[in-house]
């Protein structure tokens, strides 16, 4: 997939892009099936009672067909355009969400260092848990960042509900849509069910300078299986992701895998 210059500029300015119906109904069917299998067998989905979020790591890494999302020309093309060729895949999370998430960014990198790709597996509208974004809030000089405004405290600060923060956008989605956003972008979800299914892929830009490699090391030291004290049996990634990888996919795995082995030798690949 190739982006237009306008789409690239939109992403840089507003911090997100939404692609409606990027995946066909047939693809949505197998993606949902594989997601359900994964969260039930590799996460604790079978114990989900809706009282809190159920989350598991590396949602695309347990089943060969989901692993191949990292070979998919649409995803590769999008990441090449937004991050640059040689981007890194840096795990992700699979969820049955329950209720609101509150406003938060996923990172405070003050630069386009990492992005999240999100797949929503149920139709979601503004009051039933769709992703909300605060466009432009990834910029370090955005007023929310510059003034350290706690958006979740909007009632006390401004007499409004957090979901009514001016300027926020409800990205209503159907299964098959894809959303990508800069980790530094403030986002939230309000009014969702107790079993809102979504999974993500995190990706970073290619890291070749010493500064970028250091930033990636910090990233992997926290946002990785080792960072959460999880032993995948194969370091940074669950074994199926590596055992089904061809040379092209390995390009996107190698750098985080090596850093993870170095940072967490107790969990290193054998
Ligand atoms: O629930 C959502 O859609 C937001 C997801 C989210 O907060 C996150 O992935 O960090």
């Amino acid at each position: 997939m190739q982006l237009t210059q306008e789409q690239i500029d939109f992403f840089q300015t507003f911090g997100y892009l939404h692609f409606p119906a990027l995946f066909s109904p047939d693809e949505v069917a197998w993606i949902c099936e594989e997601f359900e299998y994964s969260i039930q067998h590799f996460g604790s989905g079978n114990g989900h009672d809706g009282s809190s979020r159920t989350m598991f790591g590396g949602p695309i890494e347990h089943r060969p067909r989901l692993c191949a999302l990292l070979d998919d020309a649409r995803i590769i093309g999008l990441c090449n355009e937004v991050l640059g060729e040689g981007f890194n895949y840096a795990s992700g999370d699979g969820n049955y969400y329950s209720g609101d998430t509150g406003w938060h960014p996923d990172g405070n990198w003050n630069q386009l260092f990492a992005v999240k790709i999100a797949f929503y597996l149920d139709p979601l509208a503004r009051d039933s848990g769709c992703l909300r974004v605060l466009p432009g809030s990834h910029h370090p000089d955005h007023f929310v960042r510059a003034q350290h405004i706690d958006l979740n405290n909007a009632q006390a600060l401004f007499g409004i509900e957090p979901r009514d923060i001016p300027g926020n956008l409800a990205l209503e989605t159907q299964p098959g849509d894809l959303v990508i956003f800069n980790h530094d972008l403030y986002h939230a979800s309000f009014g969702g069910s107790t079993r809102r299914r979504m999974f993500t892929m995190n990706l970073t830009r290619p890291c070749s300078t010493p500064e970028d490699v250091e930033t990636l090391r910090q990233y992997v030291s926290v946002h990785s299986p080792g960072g959460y004290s999880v032993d995948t049996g194969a370091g940074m990634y669950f074994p199926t992701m590596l055992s089904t990888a061809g040379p092209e996919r390995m390009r996107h795995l190698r750098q985080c895998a090596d850093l993870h082995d170095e940072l967490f030798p107790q969990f290193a690949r054998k």
Side-chain angles (χ1 to χ4, degrees):
M1 180 163 71
Q2 220 178 337
L3 299 185
T4 63
Q5 189 57 48
E6 286 85 355
Q7 285 174 309
I8 293 170
D9 292 346
F10 186 102
F11 182 78
Q12 285 175 354
T13 301
F14 299 111
Y16 71 95
L17 283 168
H18 174 199
F19 299 94
L22 190 66
F23 291 85
S24 71
D26 283 354
E27 290 175 307
V28 170
W30 72 252
I31 289 172
C32 287
E33 202 174 300
E34 295 281 1
F35 169 81
E36 289 292 350
Y37 185 92
S38 297
I39 194 166
Q40 296 287 326
H41 289 82
F42 302 101
S44 49
N46 54 4
H48 182 78
D49 63 6
S51 60
S52 61
R53 170 188 183 186
T54 293
M55 191 270 276
F56 75 115
I60 72 162
E61 297 171 26
H62 304 277
R63 302 279 288 170
R65 219 170 172 189
L66 284 177
C67 291
L69 285 175
L70 190 51
D71 310 325
D72 186 284
R74 292 162 290 190
I75 290 183
I76 296 284
L78 173 61
C79 295
N80 280 345
E81 297 267 334
V82 164
L83 294 167
E85 294 198 11
F87 63 83
N88 294 301
Y89 163 71
S91 190
D93 54 79
N95 302 278
Y96 290 147
Y97 268 105
S98 185
D100 301 345
T101 65
W103 289 104
H104 62 281
D106 290 338
N108 296 292
W109 304 107
N110 298 325
Q111 55 182 318
L112 173 51
F113 184 72
V115 301
K116 178 174 272 183
I117 285 183
F119 294 78
Y120 292 93
L121 305 184
D122 301 291
L124 297 175
R126 54 185 304 110
D127 294 317
S128 57
C130 80
L131 180 70
R132 306 250 186 158
V133 296
L134 193 57
S137 57
H138 58 300
H139 294 293
D141 58 357
H142 185 277
F143 67 92
V144 168
R145 290 183 167 278
Q147 297 174 38
H148 305 287
I149 295 174
D150 178 2
L151 299 176
N152 297 313
N153 202 22
Q155 188 59 255
L157 291 173
F158 309 120
I160 59 169
E161 292 299 321
R163 71 179 67 191
D164 295 326
I165 290 288
N168 91 76
L169 189 73
L171 285 176
E172 300 192 327
T173 51
Q174 293 291 326
D177 292 9
L178 186 138
V179 178
I180 181 169
F181 58 91
N182 185 318
H183 267 202
D184 285 14
L185 189 74
Y186 276 79
H187 58 281
S189 161
F190 298 103
S193 74
T194 55
R195 196 187 180 90
R196 190 166 57 83
R197 301 175 303 166
M198 71 89 84
F199 68 92
T200 68
M201 296 166 66
N202 291 308
L203 305 123
T204 80
R205 73 182 187 210
C207 296
S208 52
T209 66
E211 293 77 16
D212 276 1
V213 173
E214 189 45 40
T215 306
L216 189 63
R217 189 188 310 277
Q218 281 173 31
Y219 184 104
V220 172
S221 71
V222 179
H223 305 287
S224 68
Y228 301 121
S229 297
V230 170
D231 184 0
T232 65
M236 176 76 189
Y237 305 111
F238 286 90
T240 304
M241 179 55 112
L242 293 167
S243 64
T244 60
E248 262 310 299
R249 190 192 300 168
M250 278 311 297
R251 281 181 70 203
H252 305 295
L253 303 179
R254 189 166 293 113
Q255 199 170 19
C256 287
D258 288 348
L259 280 172
H260 194 277
D261 284 353
E262 194 183 304
L263 285 162
F264 303 104
Q266 70 277 31
F267 299 137
R269 287 165 290 174
K270 305 291 178 281

Coordinates of all heavy atoms in Angstrom, one line a residue, residues 53 93 95 97 99-102 104-106 116 118 120 124 129-132 181 187-190 196 198 200 202, ligand 1:
R53 N -10.2 -5.7 32.3 CA -9.7 -6.0 31.0 C -8.9 -7.3 31.0 O -8.2 -7.6 32.0 CB -8.7 -4.9 30.6 CG -7.8 -5.1 29.4 CD -6.8 -3.9 29.4 NE -5.9 -4.0 28.2 CZ -4.9 -3.2 28.0 NH1 -4.6 -2.2 28.9 NH2 -4.1 -3.3 26.9
D93 N -0.6 -6.0 21.9 CA -1.4 -6.7 22.9 C -2.8 -7.0 22.3 O -3.3 -6.3 21.4 CB -1.6 -5.8 24.1 CG -2.0 -4.4 23.8 OD1 -3.3 -4.2 23.6 OD2 -1.2 -3.5 23.8
N95 N -6.8 -8.0 23.4 CA -7.6 -7.6 24.5 C -9.1 -8.0 24.3 O -9.7 -7.9 23.2 CB -7.6 -6.1 24.7 CG -6.2 -5.5 24.9 OD1 -5.7 -5.6 26.0 ND2 -5.6 -5.0 23.8
Y97 N -11.4 -5.8 26.1 CA -11.5 -4.6 27.0 C -12.8 -4.6 27.8 O -13.8 -5.2 27.3 CB -11.4 -3.3 26.2 CG -10.0 -2.8 26.0 CD1 -9.4 -2.9 24.8 CD2 -9.4 -2.1 27.1 CE1 -8.1 -2.4 24.6 CE2 -8.1 -1.6 26.9 CZ -7.5 -1.7 25.7 OH -6.2 -1.2 25.5
G99 N -15.1 -1.6 29.5 CA -15.4 -0.3 30.0 C -14.4 0.7 29.4 O -13.8 0.5 28.3
D100 N -14.3 1.9 30.0 CA -13.5 3.0 29.5 C -12.0 2.8 29.7 O -11.6 2.2 30.7 CB -14.0 4.3 30.2 CG -15.4 4.6 30.1 OD1 -16.1 4.0 29.2 OD2 -15.9 5.5 30.9
T101 N -11.2 3.5 28.9 CA -9.8 3.4 29.1 C -9.2 4.7 29.7 O -8.2 4.7 30.3 CB -9.0 3.2 27.8 OG1 -9.2 4.3 26.9 CG2 -9.5 1.9 27.1
G102 N -10.0 5.8 29.6 CA -9.4 7.1 30.0 C -8.4 7.6 28.9 O -7.9 6.8 28.1
H104 N -4.9 8.8 27.5 CA -3.5 8.5 27.7 C -2.8 8.5 26.4 O -3.4 8.1 25.3 CB -3.3 7.2 28.4 CG -3.8 6.0 27.6 ND1 -5.1 5.6 27.6 CD2 -3.1 5.1 26.9 CE1 -5.2 4.6 26.8 NE2 -4.0 4.2 26.3
P105 N -1.5 8.8 26.3 CA -0.6 8.5 25.2 C 0.0 7.1 25.5 O 0.0 6.7 26.7 CB 0.4 9.6 25.2 CG 0.5 10.0 26.6 CD -0.8 9.6 27.3
D106 N 0.6 6.4 24.5 CA 1.3 5.2 24.8 C 2.8 5.5 25.0 O 3.6 4.6 25.4 CB 1.1 4.2 23.7 CG -0.3 3.7 23.7 OD1 -1.0 3.7 24.7 OD2 -0.7 3.2 22.6
K116 N 1.3 2.6 16.7 CA 0.4 1.4 17.0 C -0.6 1.3 15.9 O -1.2 2.2 15.4 CB -0.3 1.7 18.3 CG -1.3 0.6 18.8 CD -1.8 0.9 20.1 CE -0.9 0.3 21.2 NZ -1.5 0.5 22.6
A118 N -4.1 -0.7 15.1 CA -5.1 -1.3 15.9 C -6.2 -1.9 15.0 O -6.6 -1.3 14.0 CB -5.8 -0.2 16.8
Y120 N -9.9 -3.5 15.3 CA -11.1 -3.6 16.1 C -12.1 -4.6 15.5 O -12.4 -4.6 14.3 CB -11.8 -2.2 16.2 CG -11.0 -1.2 17.0 CD1 -10.1 -0.4 16.3 CD2 -11.1 -1.2 18.4 CE1 -9.3 0.5 17.1 CE2 -10.3 -0.3 19.1 CZ -9.4 0.5 18.4 OH -8.6 1.3 19.2
L124 N -17.9 -0.4 16.3 CA -17.9 0.5 17.5 C -18.2 1.9 17.1 O -17.7 2.4 16.1 CB -16.4 0.5 18.0 CG -15.9 -0.9 18.6 CD1 -14.4 -0.7 19.0 CD2 -16.7 -1.3 19.7
G129 N -17.7 2.6 22.6 CA -16.3 2.2 22.8 C -15.4 2.4 21.6 O -14.3 1.8 21.7
C130 N -15.7 3.2 20.6 CA -14.8 3.4 19.5 C -13.6 4.2 20.0 O -13.6 4.8 21.1 CB -15.4 4.1 18.3 SG -15.6 5.8 18.5
L131 N -12.5 4.1 19.3 CA -11.3 4.8 19.6 C -11.6 6.3 19.5 O -12.1 6.8 18.5 CB -10.1 4.4 18.7 CG -8.8 5.1 18.9 CD1 -8.2 4.7 20.3 CD2 -7.8 4.8 17.8
R132 N -11.2 7.1 20.5 CA -11.2 8.6 20.4 C -9.8 9.0 20.4 O -8.9 8.5 21.1 CB -11.8 9.2 21.6 CG -13.2 8.6 22.0 CD -14.2 9.6 21.7 NE -15.6 9.2 22.1 CZ -16.5 10.1 22.4 NH1 -16.3 11.4 22.3 NH2 -17.7 9.6 22.7
F181 N -1.8 5.0 14.8 CA -1.5 6.3 15.4 C -0.1 6.3 16.0 O 0.4 5.3 16.4 CB -2.6 6.6 16.4 CG -2.9 5.7 17.5 CD1 -2.3 5.8 18.7 CD2 -3.8 4.6 17.4 CE1 -2.6 4.9 19.8 CE2 -4.1 3.8 18.4 CZ -3.5 3.9 19.6
H187 N -5.2 9.3 23.4 CA -6.4 8.5 22.9 C -7.1 7.9 24.0 O -6.6 7.8 25.2 CB -5.9 7.4 21.9 CG -4.9 6.5 22.4 ND1 -3.6 6.8 22.5 CD2 -5.1 5.2 22.9 CE1 -2.9 5.7 23.0 NE2 -3.8 4.8 23.3
A188 N -8.3 7.4 23.8 CA -9.2 6.9 24.8 C -10.4 6.1 24.2 O -10.5 6.1 22.9 CB -9.8 8.0 25.7
S189 N -11.1 5.5 25.0 CA -12.4 4.8 24.5 C -13.4 4.9 25.7 O -13.1 4.7 26.8 CB -12.0 3.4 24.2 OG -13.2 2.6 24.2
F190 N -14.6 5.3 25.3 CA -15.7 5.4 26.3 C -16.9 4.7 25.9 O -17.3 4.7 24.7 CB -16.0 6.9 26.5 CG -14.9 7.8 26.9 CD1 -14.2 8.6 26.0 CD2 -14.5 7.8 28.2 CE1 -13.1 9.4 26.4 CE2 -13.4 8.5 28.7 CZ -12.7 9.3 27.8
R196 N -14.9 -6.0 24.7 CA -14.6 -5.2 23.4 C -13.3 -5.8 22.9 O -12.2 -5.7 23.5 CB -14.5 -3.7 23.7 CG -14.4 -2.8 22.5 CD -14.6 -1.4 22.9 NE -13.7 -0.9 23.9 CZ -12.5 -0.5 23.7 NH1 -12.0 -0.4 22.4 NH2 -11.7 0.0 24.7
M198 N -10.1 -6.1 20.6 CA -9.2 -5.4 19.8 C -7.8 -5.9 20.0 O -7.5 -6.4 21.0 CB -9.2 -3.9 20.0 CG -8.7 -3.4 21.3 SD -6.9 -3.0 21.2 CE -6.9 -1.4 20.5
T200 N -3.4 -5.2 18.8 CA -2.5 -4.2 18.2 C -1.2 -4.8 17.8 O -0.8 -5.8 18.2 CB -2.2 -3.1 19.3 OG1 -1.4 -3.7 20.3 CG2 -3.5 -2.5 19.9
N202 N 2.7 -3.0 17.6 CA 3.5 -1.8 17.8 C 4.7 -1.9 16.9 O 5.3 -3.0 16.6 CB 4.1 -1.8 19.3 CG 3.0 -1.5 20.2 OD1 2.2 -0.5 20.1 ND2 2.8 -2.3 21.2
Ligands
LIG1 O1 -9.6 1.0 23.7 C1 -9.0 1.5 22.8 O2 -9.5 1.5 21.6 C2 -7.8 2.3 23.1 C3 -6.7 1.3 23.1 C4 -5.7 1.8 24.0 O3 -5.9 2.6 24.8 C5 -4.3 1.4 23.7 O4 -4.1 0.5 22.9 O5 -3.4 2.0 24.3

